[in-house]
Amino acid sequence: GMAIHGGKTYVSDPNNDRIMVYNSDGSFAEIIGSRGSGSEQFDGVASAKFNPLTGDLIVVDTNNHRVQI
C-alpha cells in the first residue's frame, strides 16, 4: 500500500518488512521499521495509511497478526 502525508509518500515494502519514505520530489527520505515482532518491526507489511484525525501512521503487519500505530 501507499499513503501520502505531509508532502511525503510512504510505500509499504512487504518483501523487506519496512516502510520506504520518499520526499515530494521523489528522492529517498527514510526507512521506517525492520523485520521482527517488536515496536516498529514488521513481518509482511500489507498496508500503510494515515489516520486523518490524528495524523498517526497505521501499518497492517500481516504475519505478526496486528495493526501498529
Side-chain angles (χ1 to χ4, degrees):
M2 182 179 72
I4 298 172
H5 182 74
K8 294 187 178 180
T9 302
Y10 296 73
V11 181
S12 59
D13 182 0
N15 293 326
N16 294 301
D17 304 306
R18 62 189 180 187
I19 305 292
M20 303 292 292
V21 184
Y22 298 92
N23 295 310
S24 59
D25 65 1
S27 63
F28 172 77
E30 65 179 306
I31 293 173
I32 298 173
S34 60
R35 183 166 176 68
S37 59
S39 179
E40 290 193 24
Q41 292 185 319
F42 311 112
D43 185 4
V45 176
S47 181
K49 302 291 180 194
F50 281 90
N51 180 322
L53 300 176
T54 64
D56 292 333
L57 177 63
I58 301 168
V59 179
V60 177
D61 187 8
T62 303
N63 296 325
N64 282 323
H65 308 287
R66 64 185 179 179
V67 173
Q68 288 199 66
I69 299 173

